[in-house]
Amino acid sequence: MRYVVTGAAGFIGSHLSDALVEGGHDVVAVDCLTDYYDPAEKEENARGLDLLRIDLAEESLDLDGVDGVFHLAGQPGVRSFGEAFPLYLRRNVLATQRVFDAASTAGLRVVFASSSSIYGEAERYPTPEGTVPEPISPYGITKLACEQLARAYGLDSVALRYFTVYGPRQRPDMLFRRICDALTSGGTIEIYGTGEQSRSFTEVGDVVDATIAAMAEAPAGAVYNVGGGDEASLLEAVALLEEISGRPLDVRHLDRARGDVRRTQADVSRIRDALGWEPRVPLARGLERMWAWASARVATP
Ligand code: UGA
């Protein structure tokens, strides 16, 4: 099969592209290498892929001969109040609308990255997909808008609500990456609030498996949580990484961040029943893998 992957140089998109290539597929790797973080890091992620630099918010996507689109490009990060909002609108809502428009004309399926942040402070935990979405961040609102756009288009689409994904190549603004970087450099990690907030942390290999299965097997219009089995607080995660690395961390507490939910916990029964997918990588094993990557990266820059 021949698939377009947007955001192919990003954290999840690059792992997905590698797995598709390994599975014998052709990948049209699309990314415009925004400067949200160092583009050199993205180029490193995409090593081995032939990157097409297209800005989806204004350039067109050629879908001739393509069998499906994985749309992972976007402006990530839940701490999204303030002046960055036009970027969230452009890179999430506008770019996605244009991808949906092109896929709809071409009659193609789109599997796209939504987010646990569409739930906000959810009314129940574990949180099933039918829960009323009440995002508390501008980012979450743009992700929910993308889901609604797919519905409005009547698109053959699958929305995947990823829950705090981690692993090798994690974005440098995300918590585990910052912890790994602090552990390698002997620096300090800043925790927003008490650190008692918790997440359904999800290993990127599990996320890739769910994403590929969704393209192949999900019914049109499906919406799934893709979340990890182990919920952990930030302080528990810090302790685990200290133990795995054998190094102590200097932790400083800042105010709680606006847009940051207190808890996420995925109910994955829907995707388990439909696709037979469930998270397989326990947090401790996933963190060992991530630490191995982060420490090797520093040893051989
Ligand atoms: C992550 C991604 O960044 C979003 O793009 C994604 O949509 C979202 O997961 C999701 O699940 O939908 P988040 O859960 O905030 O968002 O992931 P991290 O950035 O790794 O933060 C996890 C927790 O650590 C948050 O409570 C955050 O406030 C905290 N944190 C993060 C710190 O205390 N200090 C930091 O330096 C970074």
Side-chain angles (χ1 to χ4, degrees), residues 206-252:
D206 279 336
V207 168
V208 166
D209 290 347
T211 307
I212 292 175
M215 178 63 83
E217 298 164 41
V223 176
Y224 298 124
N225 286 338
V226 177
D230 299 330
E231 181 185 0
S233 74
L234 308 196
L235 295 180
E236 286 165 340
V238 166
L240 258 174
L241 272 164
E242 285 183 314
E243 195 184 312
I244 289 166
S245 65
R247 301 177 188 191
L249 252 185
D250 179 23
V251 179
R252 187 171 305 156

Side-chain angles (χ1 to χ4, degrees), residues 114-152:
S114 185
S115 161
S116 72
S117 61
I118 64 113
Y119 293 117
E121 305 288 10
E123 62 191 1
R124 56 195 162 118
Y125 299 96
T127 307
E129 291 85 348
T131 306
V132 178
E134 287 186 305
I136 60 164
S137 65
Y139 164 79
I141 289 165
T142 62
K143 283 293 182 180
L144 184 57
C146 294
E147 290 194 11
Q148 298 293 344
L149 271 170
R151 197 161 304 146

Side-chain angles (χ1 to χ4, degrees), residues 22-37:
E22 210 160 287
H25 301 289
D26 281 341
V27 170
V28 181
V30 173
D31 205 299
C32 70
L33 302 181
T34 70
D35 63 359
Y36 176 61
Y37 59 93

Side-chain angles (χ1 to χ4, degrees), residues 79 115-116 139 164 171 175 178 190 192 199 234 260:
R79 293 167 284 285
S115 161
S116 72
Y139 164 79
T164 314
R171 298 193 325 260
L175 177 71
R178 285 191 172 164
E190 293 177 332
Y192 306 131
R199 293 287 181 272
L234 308 196
D260 207 22

Side-chain angles (χ1 to χ4, degrees), residues 5 7-11 13-18 21 27 29-33 37-53 169:
V5 177
F11 162 42
S14 64
H15 282 288
L16 172 66
S17 300
D18 289 350
V21 169
V27 170
V30 173
D31 205 299
C32 70
L33 302 181
Y37 59 93
D38 187 358
E41 191 165 318
K42 298 183 187 183
E43 289 189 51
E44 177 62 27
N45 291 345
R47 211 166 45 168
L49 300 170
D50 198 5
L51 265 195
L52 258 183
R53 293 189 62 163
R169 304 182 190 159

